[in-house]
Amino acid sequence: MSATTLPSAADGAPNTAAPKFAVVGIGNALVDVIAHASEEFLDSHDLNKGSMTLVETERAVELYAALGTAVEMSGGSAANTMVGVASLGGTACYIGKVNHDDLGDVFGHDMRAVGVPFHGGGVDHGTPTGRCIIVVTPDAERTMNTYLGVSSSLDVGDLDVDAIAAGAVLYMEGYLFDRDDAKAAFRHAATIAHANGRQVSLTLSDSFCVDRHRVDFRSLVQDSVDILFGNADEIRSLYEVDDLDVALKMVSRECGLAAITTGADGCVIVTGDEQITVPAQPVERVIDTTGAGDLFAAGFLFGLTSGLPLAECGEIGSIAAAEVISHVGPRPLVDLRTLLPDG
C-alpha cells in the first residue's frame, strides 16, 4: 500500500469543496489549573494524594480559590489532539463548551494561540467553565480534581455545522458521551460529516468510559464511525473479551479502520482485510503518560489526511506520543513537525 485513501463515507455524495480543516474535534473543553503545594495542603483540604476525583461546582470553586498562584492552560483530550495536529503542520478546528468567564477566556486564547480555531458555544451559561485542578506536591506526585462544568452540557445547538462540513475528518471524544444531549450531538455531527462526504472518527477515551457506554459505542461504531481509536484495554472492553486478537478481529468486521495502541509495543492498525503492527518510538525516560493516546491520534490523523501509507500514519502517531510522554503535561513542548523524518 503506497498511500492511504480515506475510507469512503457511510452515505452522502462527496463534498466537491476542498476541506478547510484536516480534522475537526469535539470534546470536553477543560482548563488545567496546576499549582505546587505542600502535603499539609492536601491534608487540610481532604485531598486523596495521587488520585483523580470528579468534583461538583462548590468544591471546584473552593479548591480554585485556595490554591493561590497557579498555571492555567487549556486541556481536554480532543483539544490536545487538535493541538497536536496543528503542531505537526496540519489544520485543525475545535468545538467544545466553555462559559464566558476567566477560564473560558484562557481556553479560547490558548487554542487560538497555537492556530486552532475554537467554537465554544453561544450564550453565557450559569455553569462555570470546566477545569482540572492539579496539585503537585514536592515529590512530583499529582493529585487531580476534575470539574466538568459546562463542558459536559454540549448539545446539538453548540455544534458549528459549517466547521464540521469543512473538515476532512471529524474526531469525537468518548469522554463527552455521558449525557443524552451529548450523544445526540455526536450523532448529528456524524450525520453532517457524512452528508458532506467527510469521515468520522471516535476515540474510546477510557475503559471505564467504554464500560458505561458499551451499547451506545458499539452502535455508533457500526453505524457512524469510519476510523476508531483506542488502546488494548478499551477495545477488549468494547467487545467484552480478554484476548486482544479476538477484539481486533471483531472490530475489523464493524469498522473500516481502527488504530489500537498497545503501550510499549506500539500499535496495531486494523482494516477489513489486514493488520499492520508499528513499533513504539524509543523514549529515554517516560515521565508522564498523560496525553499519549491524544497525541498518537493527532499523528495518525495528520498522516492519514496527508495521504500517507497506514504504517507511516502509525509511525507519526508514535513519534508524537513519544514526545508527550517524555515530559509533564499532555501537550507537546516542541514543534512536532521538526521530529518527522523529513522535518
Side-chain angles (χ1 to χ4, degrees):
M1 183 180 298
S2 60
T4 295
T5 300
L6 289 177
S8 55
D11 48 44
N15 189 337
T16 56
K20 180 179 179 181
F21 305 108
V23 191
V24 175
I26 302 177
N28 280 322
L30 303 174
V31 175
D32 290 338
V33 180
I34 307 171
H36 292 267
S38 64
E39 300 279 352
E40 289 74 24
F41 181 89
L42 298 185
D43 293 339
S44 64
H45 291 277
D46 197 25
L47 297 176
N48 185 16
K49 184 176 178 178
S51 68
M52 196 291 286
T53 306
L54 287 174
V55 297
E56 297 300 326
T57 306
E58 185 176 344
R59 176 67 162 162
V61 171
E62 171 199 333
L63 289 174
Y64 182 64
L67 280 178
T69 303
V71 175
E72 298 173 348
M73 63 185 74
S74 61
S77 174
N80 295 337
T81 300
M82 297 308 102
V83 170
V85 170
S87 182
L88 285 159
T91 52
C93 177
Y94 182 70
I95 299 169
K97 196 164 187 174
V98 297
N99 201 349
H100 295 196
D101 52 19
D102 289 345
L103 290 184
D105 291 341
V106 166
F107 189 94
H109 173 270
D110 285 354
M111 296 301 286
R112 296 181 185 109
V114 294
V116 179
F118 169 56
H119 301 271
V123 300
D124 193 21
H125 316 284
T127 307
T129 294
R131 66 209 61 184
C132 181
I133 297 171
I134 304 168
V135 181
V136 183
T137 41
D139 60 359
E141 185 76 68
R142 302 196 310 163
T143 301
M144 296 183 284
N145 285 259
T146 302
Y147 168 63
L148 294 176
V150 75
S151 71
S152 65
S153 69
L154 184 139
D155 58 28
V156 169
D158 296 308
L159 299 177
D160 187 300
V161 173
D162 291 339
I164 294 168
V169 176
L170 173 68
Y171 179 81
M172 303 188 295
E173 172 192 318
Y175 280 129
L176 187 59
F177 213 61
D178 275 321
R179 295 176 59 258
D180 288 341
D181 283 349
K183 294 175 187 177
F186 269 33
R187 290 206 175 265
H188 187 62
T191 298
I192 294 166
H194 280 154
N196 284 273
R198 311 308 192 184
Q199 303 307 304
V200 174
S201 62
L202 171 72
T203 175
L204 294 173
S205 292
D206 186 280
S207 323
F208 297 107
C209 192
V210 176
D211 289 342
R212 289 197 302 275
H213 305 300
R214 184 175 294 107
V215 173
D216 284 321
F217 277 168
R218 285 286 302 273
S219 174
L220 198 64
V221 168
Q222 291 167 5
D223 299 341
S224 304
V225 173
D226 304 298
I227 308 158
L228 183 67
F229 292 95
N231 63 29
D233 288 338
E234 292 158 6
I235 200 71
R236 284 191 293 247
S237 175
L238 184 66
Y239 292 105
E240 297 182 275
V241 296
D242 294 327
D243 190 314
L244 177 59
D245 289 334
V246 173
L248 295 177
K249 288 176 183 175
M250 293 177 76
V251 76
S252 74
R253 295 194 291 264
E254 294 189 350
C255 188
L257 176 61
I260 307 302
T261 56
T262 51
D265 292 329
C267 70
V268 182
I269 302 165
V270 183
T271 69
D273 54 12
E274 68 176 329
Q275 289 188 16
I276 303 167
T277 300
V278 179
Q281 293 290 310
V283 179
E284 186 173 326
R285 184 182 173 205
V286 176
I287 302 296
D288 180 4
T289 58
T290 307
D294 303 337
L295 270 295
F296 173 84
F300 189 92
L301 288 173
F302 172 77
L304 194 70
T305 54
S306 300
L308 298 179
L310 291 176
E312 288 186 33
C313 297
E315 182 183 358
I316 296 172
S318 294
I319 289 170
E323 191 283 333
V324 84
I325 65 176
S326 67
H327 57 76
V328 173
R331 293 191 176 176
L333 295 183
V334 302
D335 197 350
L336 290 177
R337 78 192 80 190
T338 65
L339 303 181
L340 299 181
D342 308 337

